[in-house]
Amino acid sequence: MKPLRLGALLLVLVACASSAADAPARSDDSPVDAWREVSPDNLILVATRYGTVAIELAPDFAPNHVARMRQLLRQHFYDGRTFYRVIEGFVAQGGADQDTSATPDAPVNPQHLKDWPPIKAEFDAVLPKGDVYTPLGNVDLFAPEAGFVNGFPVGRDPKDGRSWIIQCPGVFAFARDNAEDTATTEFYIVIGQAPRRLDRNLTAFGRVISGMQFVQKLNRGDNDVDEGVIGDVAKRDPIISMTLASDLPEKQRPHYSVLRTDSPTFADRLAQGRHPPREFYHRAASPNLDVCGVPLPVRSRS
Amino acid sequence: MKPLRLGALLLVLVACASSAADAPARSDDSPVDAWREVSPDNLILVATRYGTVAIELAPDFAPNHVARMRQLLRQHFYDGRTFYRVIEGFVAQGGADQDTSATPDAPVNPQHLKDWPPIKAEFDAVLPKGDVYTPLGNVDLFAPEAGFVNGFPVGRDPKDGRSWIIQCPGVFAFARDNAEDTATTEFYIVIGQAPRRLDRNLTAFGRVISGMQFVQKLNRGDNDVDEGVIGDVAKRDPIISMTLASDLPEKQRPHYSVLRTDSPTFADRLAQGRHPPREFYHRAASPNLDVCGVPLPVRSRS
């Protein structure tokens, strides 16, 4: 073993904080049934100049937003558009940019609103019975309860029985104007320390399962100028194409599997994260976990 | 106002989660004495192919690590070396890569250890009396107390009176091997959701105050292959140069100011972050803040 890398290895295995880490197939001892194959109906492929980003949609959390997204993808709405508002440590926003909202006091494009009428917000949902909620196992600073459902980081309120995707790095959501029910076509991906203020205030309905490193390469706007919108259009990174896997010929579809968060394998990994190896971590710390710092492993095969 | 951007503006102002956000001079009403100029003795400039990254050192937290870093910079140790281990959602590690540790059972370069003997860990410190600790104002999941000192996110233990820099995005630290006192020359920058497991287990002694978007552009390694080390040397992004500002002629030094975390202006901003505007945030959430999600503003002038 090479020095610094042994320690490094331990760091990676137990502490790698990413809900969107690339985790290609590795030889581990997890049983096959600990993994769930991502449905091509829920798999978005975003071609950027840096590489392909794969996003899994979560229809149980926001069925109408997922339906809208599938419509948009089928019509190639995003192809040739850009990531026009990218703020370091916060979000990468993409879509049509101009005149896409439904605010009465702002200039709008009537045709856009006719084509893509504003969607009613789906900030949270009562999940189908089959969706297994796996608790994180410790308190959260923001949600009454935090855990995982189908590989997504999830907040839950036992008072009203509603659940929502927590705005961890890699989470995919629709932007909106000030009013709740104003989302039309513009999406964002969280690229920084989880902006938990957005939880249950924006409709999150997916997460990046591969290629987060390409999202991180997107050119940024200036936080303090024009609200982060990249003024120089030439500096906006293009969305070369954005496609639903099920719209591709079957042979062209990539295949991803996500570690089931209701599997014993995931439970073991949670426990390991809570008590990292003393060989490297000499100072015992709090056994708490950050719901956005728990790796949610993904495998790919072509 | 353009639709989607008004909401966007609100998001940015109150929720932008980055301890390393670029925040060039803006017309706000903060008094001049709310800002502290960064000393050129504590200012590192890292030239990358994407742009320049500025890091502020924090000698009060780890004086020996800062002294070592200044020696390394004066001898141009890092110039022409690389970011050789970059793991999406975790850390970007740079330096010499090979044979830099002090582990007895690993191959080492005797000359390296002679030139740069391992440093005793400085995981935490008793701070000088003049360093004002500003509490975050709510509990933290990991530290007994969390807050800010001199613009750095800080954990504190009232039992032993010791403080440490929390491993938020943008934090700068030395890597080490498994044993505590094995750091020599290799550094890392946190690039993902705060890996709080590292708190008080690695010596953190600075933070990125500008150019975090360039760190995010660095090519990644494969988490599951060779512990994230980038095998194809051609894909490793070079450290073109890494210089202490005080080693530059005075006219060539850039100037940065950091918002004083013990200023009334910062206190106001904390309060605003705790209660974001209801115009956009329709669902009142927990008033808690994440210590790594609080913007720590920086201004630059040439």
Side-chain angles (χ1 to χ4, degrees):
Chain A
M1 287 302 263
K2 284 169 186 152
L4 283 180
R5 295 186 183 173
L6 178 59
L9 173 64
L10 296 175
L11 290 185
V12 173
L13 291 180
V14 301
C16 178
S18 173
S19 64
D22 282 350
R26 59 196 281 175
S27 54
D28 63 25
D29 52 2
S30 61
V32 171
D33 65 3
W35 298 82
R36 170 181 60 79
E37 172 128 6
V38 174
S39 161
D41 283 330
N42 292 331
L43 180 60
I44 302 177
L45 304 164
V46 188
T48 75
R49 69 171 98 189
Y50 309 110
T52 296
V53 180
I55 295 166
E56 182 179 14
L57 294 169
D60 289 355
F61 288 88
N64 297 331
H65 282 69
V66 169
R68 165 64 58 90
M69 179 55 60
R70 288 184 186 132
Q71 284 182 308
L72 287 159
L73 296 170
R74 241 154 234 162
Q75 298 195 21
H76 302 285
F77 176 83
Y78 297 106
D79 299 13
R81 300 193 189 260
T82 64
F83 290 96
Y84 58 88
R85 177 175 176 253
V86 187
I87 299 170
E88 171 51 29
F90 188 41
V91 300
Q93 188 168 318
D97 182 16
Q98 297 283 351
D99 306 341
T100 53
S101 184
T103 305
D105 61 352
V108 288
N109 176 339
Q111 190 58 45
H112 181 89
L113 290 182
K114 201 174 154 193
D115 293 343
W116 308 108
I119 313 174
K120 193 164 162 47
E122 296 173 301
F123 296 149
D124 51 29
V126 175
L127 296 179
K129 290 259 155 120
D131 283 344
V132 180
Y133 172 82
T134 302
L136 172 66
N138 56 252
V139 294
D140 181 74
L141 286 182
F142 301 94
E145 295 180 359
F148 307 92
V149 173
N150 291 335
F152 292 88
V154 167
R156 210 168 71 148
D157 188 343
K159 283 189 194 152
D160 59 15
R162 301 186 74 83
S163 302
W164 56 94
I165 294 177
I166 290 173
Q167 305 257 342
C168 298
V171 158
F172 180 75
F174 256 172
R176 62 166 169 82
D177 205 337
N178 278 350
E180 291 199 355
D181 303 328
T182 51
T184 62
T185 57
E186 308 304 279
F187 69 85
Y188 68 86
I189 297 167
V190 174
I191 60 170
Q193 182 79 7
R196 300 292 304 272
R197 191 75 51 218
L198 307 188
D199 284 4
R200 232 180 174 179
N201 268 302
L202 279 292
T203 300
F205 58 105
R207 75 172 180 107
V208 174
I209 56 172
S210 178
M212 194 62 198
Q213 70 271 39
F214 306 130
V215 180
Q216 292 292 7
K217 281 179 176 276
L218 296 172
N219 289 331
R220 295 339 191 222
D222 184 336
N223 202 339
D224 290 325
V225 178
D226 199 18
E227 298 129 27
V229 172
I230 303 170
D232 180 352
V233 173
K235 289 203 173 146
R236 298 179 182 182
D237 278 305
I239 300 168
I240 298 170
S241 67
M242 193 157 156
T243 312
L244 197 68
S246 56
D247 291 340
L248 292 171
E250 207 165 320
K251 278 190 286 190
Q252 289 176 31
R253 297 177 192 165
H255 294 269
Y256 293 95
S257 296
V258 175
L259 184 66
R260 295 178 62 110
T261 42
D262 59 346
S263 66
T265 303
F266 185 74
D268 287 349
R269 294 194 184 188
L270 269 185
Q272 287 163 24
R274 207 175 286 287
H275 300 289
R278 297 303 291 266
E279 185 184 358
F280 185 85
Y281 293 90
H282 303 281
R283 312 270 183 114
S286 158
N288 285 337
L289 294 172
D290 171 3
V291 66
C292 290
V294 172
L296 297 169
V298 178
R299 285 173 168 176
S300 67
R301 63 177 172 84
S302 297
Chain B
M1 286 305 265
K2 283 169 187 152
L4 283 179
R5 295 188 181 172
L6 177 58
L9 173 64
L10 295 174
L11 290 184
V12 172
L13 290 179
V14 301
C16 177
S18 174
S19 63
D22 282 351
R26 59 195 283 178
S27 54
D28 64 25
D29 54 1
S30 61
V32 172
D33 64 3
W35 297 83
R36 171 181 61 78
E37 172 128 5
V38 174
S39 162
D41 284 329
N42 292 331
L43 180 60
I44 301 178
L45 303 164
V46 187
T48 75
R49 70 172 97 189
Y50 308 110
T52 297
V53 180
I55 295 166
E56 182 179 14
L57 294 169
D60 289 354
F61 287 87
N64 298 329
H65 281 69
V66 168
R68 164 64 58 88
M69 180 54 60
R70 289 186 186 130
Q71 283 182 308
L72 287 159
L73 296 171
R74 241 153 235 161
Q75 298 195 20
H76 302 284
F77 177 83
Y78 297 106
D79 300 12
R81 300 192 189 262
T82 64
F83 290 96
Y84 58 87
R85 178 175 176 252
V86 187
I87 299 171
E88 172 50 31
F90 188 41
V91 299
Q93 188 168 317
D97 184 15
Q98 297 281 353
D99 305 342
T100 53
S101 184
T103 305
D105 61 352
V108 287
N109 176 340
Q111 191 59 45
H112 181 90
L113 291 182
K114 201 174 154 194
D115 293 344
W116 308 108
I119 313 174
K120 193 165 161 46
E122 296 173 302
F123 296 150
D124 52 28
V126 175
L127 297 179
K129 290 258 156 126
D131 283 343
V132 180
Y133 173 83
T134 302
L136 173 66
N138 56 252
V139 294
D140 180 75
L141 286 181
F142 301 95
E145 295 180 359
F148 307 92
V149 173
N150 291 334
F152 292 88
V154 167
R156 209 167 72 149
D157 188 344
K159 284 190 192 150
D160 59 15
R162 301 186 75 83
S163 302
W164 56 93
I165 294 177
I166 289 174
Q167 305 256 342
C168 298
V171 158
F172 181 75
F174 257 171
R176 62 166 169 82
D177 204 336
N178 277 351
E180 291 198 356
D181 303 329
T182 51
T184 62
T185 57
E186 308 304 279
F187 69 86
Y188 69 86
I189 296 167
V190 175
I191 60 170
Q193 182 78 6
R196 300 291 304 274
R197 190 76 50 218
L198 308 187
D199 284 4
R200 233 180 173 178
N201 269 302
L202 279 291
T203 301
F205 59 106
R207 75 172 179 108
V208 173
I209 56 172
S210 178
M212 194 62 197
Q213 71 271 37
F214 306 130
V215 179
Q216 292 292 7
K217 280 179 176 276
L218 296 172
N219 288 331
R220 300 326 196 231
D222 184 335
N223 201 340
D224 290 326
V225 178
D226 199 17
E227 298 128 28
V229 172
I230 302 169
D232 180 351
V233 173
K235 288 203 174 147
R236 297 179 182 181
D237 278 305
I239 300 168
I240 298 170
S241 66
M242 192 158 157
T243 313
L244 197 67
S246 57
D247 291 339
L248 292 172
E250 208 166 320
K251 279 191 287 188
Q252 288 176 30
R253 297 176 193 165
H255 295 270
Y256 292 95
S257 297
V258 174
L259 185 65
R260 295 178 62 110
T261 41
D262 59 345
S263 66
T265 303
F266 185 73
D268 287 348
R269 294 194 185 188
L270 270 185
Q272 286 163 26
R274 207 175 287 288
H275 300 289
R278 297 301 291 265
E279 186 184 357
F280 186 84
Y281 293 90
H282 302 280
R283 312 269 183 114
S286 159
N288 285 336
L289 294 172
D290 170 4
V291 66
C292 290
V294 172
L296 298 168
V298 177
R299 286 174 168 176
S300 67
R301 64 178 172 82
S302 295

